[in-house]
Amino acid sequence: MGQVQQRERVILVSVAVNMLDDLDVEEFRLLAQSAGATILEHLTVQRNKPDPKFFVGSGKAEEIAQLVEHLEAELVIFDHSLSPAQERNLEKIMKCRVIDRTGLILDIFAQRARTHEGKLQVELAQLKYLSTRLIRGWAAGFEQQKGGIGLKGPGETQLETDRRLIKVRISQLKDKLVKVQHTRMQGRAARQKAAIPTVSLVGYTNAGKSTLFNILANSDVYAADQLFATLDPTLRRLDWDGIGTVVLADTVGFVRDLQHDLVESFKATLEETLEATLLLHVIDSHSPDMHEQIEAVEGVLKEIGADAPVLRVYNKIDLSGDEPKIIYAEPHLPDRVYVSAHSGQGLDLLKQAVQECLMGQLQNFELILKPAYGKLRTQLYALNVIQSEHYDDEGNLHLKVSIAPHKLEQLIRQAHLPLQDILGERANQFKRPLEEFEIKS
C-alpha cells in the first residue's frame, strides 16, 4: 500500500482454516483502517485446509474477483499469511494488488516510524518480506508495482540485479542497526552502573500504554485510539515516590500472529524490554478478547527471551467497571493492579505496586536524625516517603516514614551514617554488619 496519501478502496478477506483459527474480525478492520483503507466489503471464508494455488479455492477467488470488478476495488487484503505464489495467482485472477496480514502490518509500521532507528527497522523488515515476492513486479499488468523501492526494467536480468541490490541493502541496514544497538548498550550500561531501574511498558496494541506513559512521565507521546499509534520506543527519566530516579520505557504494541521476521527485525526496539528491571504488561480490561491478547503478548515476550518480573496492569477500568485495587500473588508481592489511565483511577495504587515490586515490602520506620543528618532528610522528602515529623528538646528530628527496608538501607549506607543512631533497635533487622555503616574517622 505504501505511504500514499489518498485512501485506497479495499476488500478484506478473513479466512478460518479447519475451525482452528480464532478470527478477530474487528481487529483486522482496525488494522486496515489504521493503514488508511476505505473498506468496501469484508468477507469471511471457511475452509478445511488452505488451497495451495489460491488459498481460498478457485471458486471463492473468482467470486472475489467479480466483487473487485463490481466495487472497483484497488486492493484485496487477506487476514492470513500468503505464499508469494498464492499472491501472484490471486493478483492475476483479481486484476488488482493483493497483500497478506504481514504486508498490512508492515505498511502501518512504515507510516508510524518517526526515528532513524524505527525507519531502519521498518525498511529491513520490508526488504526481507519483499525479497521473496520480487517476481510479482513482472506479472502481467504490474510492471510498475515494485513495492516502492524505485527499481525499474522488466526481465530476468533485472530481477537478479534487484535481488542482489536488496541483499546488499539488507546487509547495510543490519550493520546500521548494530551501531544503534551499541549506542543503546552504552546508555543502558551507564544506567545500570548508577543503579537506575528501568520500567518498561509492554502490551497489546491499543491497550493504552502511551496514555499511561504520558501520565506517569508527564510527557506528550502521541496516543490515539488506533492500532500501532506509536511505533518507536520512548524513554523518560522520572522521580518515583519511594524509589528515586527511574527510566520509564514505552514500546511498540503487539498483535496476534506477529510473524517471526517482524519480531526479529524489531528486536533492537524491544531490547529495552529485554533489559528492563520490571515489565508493566498493560492490558485492555474492557476488550472482549482480553485473554487472547494476553496470550499474544506473553508469546512475543517468550520469543524474544524477556525474563524480567511482570506486573499486570489492567487498564480502562472506567469502561470495564472494575474497582481500582492491587491483587497480590503472595504477601507484599503485587501480581496485578487495576487502573484507568484515562480517568486517573488507581494510579496511586499502581505507583505503590511498582515501588513494592522494585524495592520490596513497604514498612513503617521511626527515624531519629541529628542536626548534621539534614541531607538524609532531604533525600527522604524527595522520595515522598515521610508521613510526619517533629523535633525533640535536643534538636533531633523524629521522622515517620513508609519505605522499603532495602531502599532505606541504601540511603543510609551511601550517606555513611551510623545505622544504630538512626534506627535504634530496628537496625538489627538489616543483614549487613553495622560496621559498614559507621562513619570512618
Side-chain angles (χ1 to χ4, degrees), residues 181-198 235 237 247 271-272 275:
Q181 183 181 19
H182 286 162
T183 302
R184 283 187 175 279
M185 288 174 62
Q186 291 172 355
R188 196 177 300 121
R191 296 198 300 270
Q192 290 171 348
K193 186 176 181 180
I196 299 175
T198 299
L235 281 72
R237 282 187 179 229
V247 171
E271 278 180 3
E272 294 302 334
E275 301 295 334

Side-chain angles (χ1 to χ4, degrees), residues 13-17 21 23 28 43-47 50 55-56 78-80 82:
V13 182
S14 296
V15 184
V17 179
D21 284 352
L23 295 180
F28 186 35
L43 306 177
T44 301
V45 180
Q46 178 69 49
R47 285 195 62 82
F55 193 81
V56 291
F78 281 74
D79 189 15
H80 217 287
L82 300 175

Side-chain angles (χ1 to χ4, degrees), residues 332 355-356 360-366 385 387 400-406 408 426 429-430:
H332 309 295
Q355 183 184 22
E356 293 186 26
Q361 174 188 355
L362 300 179
Q363 294 185 23
N364 294 323
F365 292 91
E366 292 189 13
V385 296
Q387 297 176 320
K400 287 186 178 181
V401 300
S402 178
I403 190 171
H406 167 75
L408 180 59
R426 291 202 64 179
Q429 79 178 75
F430 295 97

Side-chain angles (χ1 to χ4, degrees), residues 194-205:
I196 299 175
T198 299
V199 178
S200 185
L201 276 65
V202 300
Y204 210 80
T205 185

